[in-house]
Amino acid sequence: MHRSGFVNIIGLPNVGKSTLMNRLVGERMSIINRKPQTTRHRIIGIVSDEEFQIVFSDTPGLVDDPQYALHEAMNQAVRQAFEDADLMLYMTTPDGQVSNAQAFFKRFKPGEFPVYLVMNKSDLAEPAAISTLLAEYEALEIFDRTFAISALHGAGIDALMAAVLEVLPEGPPYYPKDQLTDKPERFFVSEIIRDKILSLYHQEVPYSCEVDVESFKETEDSKGPITMIRALIYVNRQSQKSILIGKGGEAIKRLGTQARHDIETFLESRVFLDLYVKVRDNWRDDQRTLRRFGY
Ligand code: GDP
Ligand code: MG
């Protein structure tokens, strides 16, 4: 008998969804950063064995007050996570409010699938405090089971995986067994560049940036195989463009060098990276632009 299914990880930004995905899938699946909302797209990670295939998805964090069209698109991703789930993991931390979970499931009704509460970052609280919190979540009568884990340090992961497998429906694999994700490499390249922008620039600049990998070609030069990448960074205003580029182009040069280094590690190939910056007015609210970026 073969089991397969979609396990959708959901929760507020920064609770550790990407960290859990990385641990389960064992690859650098989604970019992890201290700043929230790094991952705007739904990212799939696939764990396969002879007897099963689990398709995990890491849903972008829910935003309660949709101020921008962008945030609406993120909420859309949350809705989608309800549509195809065989199991949902609602992730929180010891800091999380029990009332948030209650409000969330009032707004998005659980469907015909089990929901597990996953208390991540259990390393940051006393076991007694965790037990008390888990009891409060159980009292909501929303969750089929509750777990305390540390995605970062690996505690509780085996028990969680066993419980996931227990409810996985019988069915054939959805993807080839050696596939780890449904996203093309160029998607990860743009996420790596975004990640670098987040760590190198401050305040509102990173949040106004969108990265579009325009071309991605594997070719060869005198030194052997090389990947030629051309990426465009869109910003909202001319002032942001100036900050990105920096005095005499210093800032963008540093960004390019650091991003190229990480992309080379990820692709296991030499990389030539060409970065451009363009101003686009109010892209957050421009539906056409949002569609172009795949929201
Ligand atoms: P996401 O926004 O939900 O995807 O959260 P991330 O996976 O990006 O994690 C946010 C931050 O929490 C990162 O700095 C992680 O290293 C940290 N983190 C994740 N899991 C744990 C954990 O189990 N314990 C601790 N102490 N930190 C964690
Ligand atoms: Mg994330």
Side-chain angles (χ1 to χ4, degrees):
M1 187 188 90
H2 189 274
R3 291 168 181 274
S4 60
F6 290 85
V7 177
N8 298 341
I9 308 171
I10 203 159
L12 290 172
N14 234 19
V15 296
K17 300 181 295 299
S18 303
T19 308
L20 178 63
M21 279 267 292
N22 287 357
R23 180 164 285 280
L24 294 172
V25 182
E27 278 269 302
R28 194 169 181 246
M29 296 298 311
S30 9
I31 305 298
I32 296 162
N33 198 292
R34 271 172 213 290
K35 297 183 189 178
Q37 287 184 26
T38 315
T39 314
R40 287 176 185 166
H41 301 257
R42 199 170 182 230
I43 295 178
I44 278 179
I46 305 162
V47 182
S48 297
D49 197 335
E50 298 248 307
E51 275 103 48
F52 66 83
Q53 180 171 73
I54 310 172
V55 184
F56 287 99
S57 77
D58 170 0
T59 308
L62 183 76
V63 179
D64 272 332
D65 179 22
Q67 212 180 339
Y68 297 118
L70 172 64
H71 290 169
E72 283 290 357
M74 290 169 67
N75 273 319
Q76 191 54 45
V78 175
R79 278 186 211 104
Q80 197 200 329
F82 275 77
E83 273 159 26
D84 63 9
D86 290 302
L87 167 67
M88 180 168 285
L89 305 182
Y90 178 87
M91 200 179 229
T92 185
T93 66
D95 291 338
Q97 298 294 316
V98 178
S99 58
N100 273 353
Q102 195 170 20
F104 178 79
F105 284 103
K106 217 175 234 168
R107 186 157 162 214
F108 297 93
K109 290 257 177 276
E112 295 297 301
F113 49 83
V115 183
Y116 291 172
L117 177 106
V118 178
M119 168 84 59
N120 188 34
K121 309 196 187 184
S122 62
D123 52 293
L124 298 180
E126 293 298 324
I130 303 262
S131 303
T132 308
L133 274 168
L134 290 184
E136 285 177 37
Y137 281 105
E138 279 157 20
L140 296 177
E141 298 188 340
I142 293 167
F143 304 105
D144 296 83
R145 296 180 68 171
T146 60
F147 297 85
I149 67 160
S150 172
L152 192 62
H153 303 293
I157 302 293
D158 290 348
L160 176 61
M161 265 299 271
V164 167
L165 283 170
E166 256 174 50
V167 295
L168 208 64
E170 203 177 329
Y174 292 98
Y175 296 93
K177 287 269 177 154
D178 58 357
Q179 195 170 324
L180 295 174
T181 181
D182 69 333
K183 294 282 184 197
E185 283 173 332
R186 66 163 74 198
F187 170 77
F188 286 100
V189 167
S190 69
E191 286 283 282
I192 287 168
I193 297 168
R194 271 180 58 73
D195 189 31
K196 277 290 161 233
I197 295 172
L198 278 166
S199 62
L200 290 176
Y201 298 91
H202 302 290
Q203 279 142 17
E204 96 293 356
V205 171
Y207 297 102
S208 72
C209 289
E210 191 55 62
V211 180
D212 186 24
V213 175
E214 279 212 327
S215 67
F216 184 102
K217 277 193 214 98
E218 283 161 7
T219 173
E220 219 158 294
D221 68 5
S222 57
K223 288 190 211 141
I226 184 162
T227 308
M228 311 287 287
I229 298 169
R230 186 186 142 95
L232 261 165
I233 303 168
Y234 288 100
V235 291
N236 291 341
R237 290 193 298 275
Q238 180 60 40
S239 60
Q240 293 162 341
K241 179 176 172 176
S242 306
I243 293 169
L244 264 184
I245 291 171
K247 225 198 222 149
E250 256 173 56
I252 190 102
K253 199 171 161 201
R254 192 179 49 194
L255 170 65
T257 305
Q258 293 195 13
R260 177 175 52 79
H261 183 263
D262 280 18
I263 297 166
E264 284 181 334
T265 306
F266 178 75
L267 296 175
E268 296 177 332
S269 153
R270 275 192 310 133
V271 165
F272 178 82
L273 178 64
D274 217 357
L275 284 180
Y276 292 82
V277 185
K278 259 194 180 172
V279 178
R280 181 172 287 213
D281 286 333
N282 293 327
W283 67 265
R284 282 167 188 270
D285 285 318
D286 184 337
Q287 288 299 334
R288 271 199 9 239
T289 311
L290 285 178
R291 269 201 296 281
R292 175 163 156 63
F293 289 120
Y295 290 113

